[in-house]
Amino acid sequence: MFMMFAMTSDSVGEIIKEVKREFDVTNTEASLMHSLFMIGIAFSGLFLGFLADKFGRKNTIILGLSLFALSCYFFLVGDSFSFILGLITLSGIAVGVFKTAALALIGDISHSTKEHTGIMNGAEAFFGFGAIIGPLLVAWLVREGVDWKLLYVIAGGLCTLLIVLAWKADYPAHSLGGTPKEPINMTRSLKLLGNPYAMGFSVGAFLYVAAESAIYVWMPSYLVCDAKDVAATFSCYTSGPDKWLAMYAVSVFFSLRAVGRFVGIWMMQRLNWSLVLALFSLAIMLCFIAGLVGGKSVALYTFPLTGIFMSVIYPTFNSKGISCFPKHEHGTVAGVILFFTAAGAAAGPFIMGVVSDAYGGDAKYGFIVATVFTALLFVGLLYNYLYNPTEKRLAEIETSEYGQNAV
């Protein structure tokens, strides 16, 4: 599931180029392909996340996948820009539905909070592979003269297969519903906005995703040799490795992120998660600073390198944030974290674009904003390591939900 929807969501850069050409829309209008998808996920996460707790993981996953498949197949008949934007919004809502249920299911099948973090890294690693496959597939389709909408048809086919697998799979008994002390509805999701554990990890997810999206949305613009002459592209990178890296920097970033998440499965089982996140967030901040101070020739290496350090942060935020709550609330809290995730993905690049435009269109100024995001993320994770505010809560959940005391 994670790989399938990443194929579409992280292909947005390649798709936007085709949308602008096909429908003759402006940059701002074309950017709605990204913004409306994220808004759909954010809305669904906050207001529909409770469905996984109320109706069970299986039913909610099948519902979300069905909506996503439907939106994908309708791309076959889409012949207007507004219709396609509607499908993009629907697909975002669908992702929010099935992803919150999938995140809750990971908690159901885990036997400890450490295992939860490891499995989460594995799931997000498949998302990383989808982020690599999708853009490459779109580029190949365009090069072969095939309509880019075929990407969604392929995703719809994979989604249909996933529906069958989800329907036939056996789910843990406790995934059919918990024993909440209050009704499972949208109100409970909104109440979590006042919970320090839910909000702490949600704000962390917002800052992380805002910084991560800076790389895959704006790094290509920053690396262009002459910001005033886009036609110059990457001609100033004359040496072989530099020119190759300049052209495939985003792919290198996604590849390092995917590999890092598989390594994270091992890492998070053996190391102190709060220390790893503090050190990795420091490395991310230093990479951003180096890329700004050293200029494009340094950023060419340090910006893609952040992929390896970013790899374990978001899955760990998700797993630890969800693990601070009983299993019958996992869907609801996963939805809240997903809301802030999508908000960060939508707001971060937008703020960077506004700041860059205010200073003549140079993406460097947008990356100054992104560097502030990384600095705030580091400060928060350093505080988390030094004071470990979730230690007691995770220990309580470990005992009550898993019958253990190791977190």
Side-chain angles (χ1 to χ4, degrees):
M1 284 189 288
F2 283 57
M3 185 185 76
M4 179 270 300
F5 90 81
M7 287 172 56
T8 58
S9 65
D10 284 18
S11 298
V12 66
E14 294 290 335
I15 291 173
I16 282 176
K17 291 191 300 185
E18 297 305 311
V19 166
K20 287 172 60 180
R21 179 189 58 79
E22 182 174 342
F23 297 102
D24 191 26
V25 294
T26 65
N27 286 326
T28 301
E29 290 171 330
S31 70
L32 291 174
M33 295 286 291
H34 173 72
S35 299
L36 289 179
F37 179 74
M38 291 301 169
I39 289 171
I41 293 177
F43 173 88
S44 183
L46 185 60
F47 296 109
L48 301 178
F50 71 92
L51 294 177
D53 295 330
K54 189 175 183 68
F55 299 109
R57 320 307 193 211
K58 184 173 188 174
N59 293 332
T60 308
I61 286 174
I62 291 175
L63 172 63
L65 289 175
S66 299
L67 288 174
F68 191 84
L70 184 67
S71 68
C72 287
Y73 289 137
F74 267 111
F75 271 89
L76 286 170
V77 297
D79 58 359
S80 71
F81 183 60
S82 58
F83 182 74
I84 288 175
L85 289 181
L87 295 180
I88 286 292
T89 306
L90 176 61
S91 67
I93 293 172
V95 167
V97 171
F98 74 70
K99 187 174 182 181
T100 51
L103 293 174
L105 181 62
I106 290 174
D108 294 341
I109 64 176
S110 302
H111 299 95
S112 69
T113 55
K114 280 189 175 180
E115 185 181 28
H116 191 181
T117 303
I119 296 175
M120 192 73 75
N121 271 277
E124 292 289 351
F126 279 93
F127 180 93
F129 277 126
I132 298 169
I133 295 170
L136 292 176
L137 182 56
V138 173
W140 179 81
L141 290 173
V142 173
R143 188 170 62 248
E144 295 298 316
V146 180
D147 194 334
W148 57 270
K149 299 185 191 72
L150 184 60
L151 172 73
Y152 287 91
V153 179
I154 293 172
L158 291 174
C159 199
T160 302
L161 176 61
L162 287 170
I163 292 171
V164 175
L165 294 176
W167 174 60
K168 287 188 169 293
D170 292 325
Y171 286 63
H174 47 269
S175 71
L176 299 177
T179 55
K181 296 180 181 179
E182 57 183 277
I184 301 174
N185 51 36
M186 188 191 308
T187 302
R188 195 174 66 164
S189 297
L190 297 176
K191 285 183 178 179
L192 282 180
L193 295 177
N195 183 285
Y197 299 111
M199 284 306 298
F201 285 105
S202 293
V203 171
F206 178 95
L207 292 171
Y208 163 76
V209 174
E212 180 197 54
S213 58
I215 296 294
Y216 65 80
V217 174
W218 289 114
M219 178 173 61
S221 297
Y222 179 67
L223 293 179
V224 168
C225 303
D226 185 353
K228 296 181 180 179
D229 182 13
V230 179
T233 59
F234 306 109
S235 60
C236 63
Y237 302 105
T238 54
S239 65
D242 284 2
K243 193 166 186 177
W244 180 89
L245 185 56
M247 294 175 63
Y248 297 102
V250 174
S251 296
V252 171
F253 166 77
F254 280 139
S255 299
L256 290 175
R257 192 185 64 174
V259 171
R261 283 175 175 170
F262 279 115
V263 175
I265 300 173
W266 174 89
M267 185 184 302
M268 289 304 175
Q269 298 291 320
R270 293 164 176 80
L271 302 177
N272 183 326
W273 69 273
S274 59
L275 176 60
V276 171
L277 263 57
L279 292 176
F280 277 26
S281 63
L282 173 61
I284 293 168
M285 182 181 70
L286 293 177
C287 284
F288 271 65
I289 292 173
L292 285 173
V293 176
K296 303 178 193 297
S297 60
V298 175
L300 182 63
Y301 290 90
T302 62
F303 282 2
L305 183 62
T306 59
I308 197 71
F309 302 118
M310 289 185 178
S311 59
V312 299
I313 293 181
Y314 182 69
T316 305
F317 276 156
N318 248 330
S319 65
K320 297 303 182 186
I322 293 171
S323 292
C324 283
F325 295 83
K327 290 185 177 182
H328 64 261
E329 292 186 273
H330 279 188
T332 305
V333 69
V336 172
I337 296 174
L338 187 60
F339 169 80
F340 281 90
T341 298
F350 177 76
I351 295 171
M352 289 177 65
V354 169
V355 172
S356 295
D357 286 344
Y359 288 90
D362 192 341
K364 176 181 69 175
Y365 296 98
F367 269 98
I368 293 175
V369 176
T371 303
V372 173
F373 291 146
T374 67
L376 292 173
L377 180 65
F378 168 63
V379 170
L381 288 173
L382 180 62
Y383 173 87
N384 178 69
Y385 169 66
L386 294 176
Y387 297 99
N388 207 349
T390 61
E391 180 179 22
K392 182 179 178 181
R393 178 62 176 171
L394 288 172
E396 292 173 352
I397 292 294
E398 194 80 33
T399 300
S400 62
E401 298 289 321
Y402 303 104
Q404 304 175 50
N405 291 303
V407 296

